[in-house]
Amino acid sequence: GAGVSQSPSNKVTEKGKDVELRCDPISGHTALYWYRQSLGQGLEFLIYFQGNSAPDKSGLPSDRFSAERTGGSVSTLTIQRTQQEDSAVYLCASSPGTANEKLFFGSGTQLSVL
Amino acid sequence: SQQGEEDPQALSIQEGENATMNCSYKTSINNLQWYRQNSGRGLVHLILIRSNEREKHSGRLRVTLDTSKKSSSLLITASRAADTASYFCATDRYGNNRLAFGKGNQVVVIP
């Protein structure tokens, strides 16, 4: 596709359940980012992948959060034992190089934990 | 911690007027970028200004950067209803694997 694709666009889950969020970056983009945005707030950095290098996981808020990127392309963000405070829009972005320049964002996944 | 604090937080203007919003940051940067977000979903990159630049233009957008004051401003000239959105500044620090985003400015352009 032409842009960054995220699925699902909306996810409603019960507290304590696990969820998986998917991101398809733009083909050829080596950098992939996950951010989280709570209602009316700015973007909170979660994790960064660059090519085959070890990811920068320094933004993950707890060990319930994990992410992987297979084959340098598709990425999955997993949240285990979801809590109500995990409710947010989860945004994925990709960029073509190693510099943090011009990120291309997907439309996000709205996660609601009941 | 997030760098970038936009000021003011909300702005309501008439179509055709100019909109100005500011952003301040705390540490040295490589570049500063502005993004637009419609309806609380994906962000769109608007403009990037490097630390050695002072002003940049793109269409109706004008961005300035004052590294001595650690601040930037975004000016949208001749605003349109379609400019209604949230605008975020984001800073890139050397060696940092992320952009640090501010909390955003909500701009409403009244037709």
Side-chain angles (χ1 to χ4, degrees):
Chain A
V4 177
S5 177
Q6 291 189 246
S7 61
S9 56
N10 290 281
K11 176 72 176 179
V12 179
T13 190
E14 295 179 350
K15 177 181 173 182
K17 301 284 189 182
D18 298 351
V19 295
E20 284 190 354
L21 312 179
R22 177 187 169 102
C23 173
D24 272 285
I26 293 172
S27 178
H29 280 194
T30 58
L32 187 148
Y33 309 74
W34 283 98
Y35 283 85
R36 172 169 78 172
Q37 185 179 28
S38 300
L39 187 63
Q41 299 298 309
L43 276 67
E44 175 189 7
F45 168 79
L46 297 177
I47 189 168
Y48 165 79
F49 295 90
Q50 175 57 255
N52 296 320
S53 302
D56 177 353
K57 304 179 181 180
S58 59
L60 295 178
S62 78
D63 59 8
R64 296 187 295 105
F65 288 72
S66 64
E68 62 178 21
R69 188 179 185 191
T70 54
S73 180
V74 172
S75 177
T76 302
L77 177 69
T78 301
I79 309 173
Q80 296 179 311
R81 305 181 302 281
T82 52
Q83 305 293 314
Q84 288 184 334
E85 59 263 30
D86 299 335
S87 296
V89 176
Y90 289 81
L91 292 162
C92 175
S94 69
S95 69
T98 56
N100 297 319
E101 297 186 2
K102 194 171 184 180
L103 273 58
F104 293 80
F105 280 84
S107 296
T109 294
Q110 172 72 64
L111 175 65
S112 300
V113 182
L114 305 180
Chain B
S1 61
Q2 295 283 344
Q3 291 194 59
E5 297 178 351
E6 292 86 356
D7 176 42
Q9 296 294 312
L11 184 63
S12 182
I13 57 174
Q14 294 290 327
E15 199 166 32
E17 294 181 339
N18 296 341
T20 300
M21 57 207 87
N22 301 307
C23 168
S24 61
Y25 56 92
K26 294 181 172 63
T27 61
S28 297
I29 60 172
N30 284 329
N31 65 68
L32 185 144
Q33 303 171 41
W34 286 89
Y35 288 78
R36 184 186 71 222
Q37 184 179 43
N38 293 93
S39 304
R41 300 304 286 258
L43 281 74
V44 175
H45 180 270
L46 295 176
I47 195 167
L48 178 153
I49 187 166
R50 300 190 187 280
S51 59
N52 61 352
E53 298 175 312
R54 293 297 168 257
E55 186 171 315
K56 206 162 183 181
H57 296 256
S58 176
R60 294 183 296 112
L61 304 179
R62 171 178 171 258
V63 64
T64 62
L65 180 65
D66 187 334
T67 53
S68 66
K69 296 180 180 179
K70 294 186 170 56
S71 67
S72 173
S73 67
L74 175 68
L75 168 67
I76 306 172
T77 61
S79 63
R80 306 167 181 170
D83 295 328
T84 294
S86 292
Y87 292 83
F88 292 84
C89 73
T91 52
D92 173 35
R93 291 174 57 191
Y94 180 75
N96 212 338
N97 296 322
R98 68 192 71 179
L99 288 183
F101 285 82
K103 294 183 179 178
N105 270 283
Q106 175 68 45
V107 175
V108 175
V109 181
I110 302 167

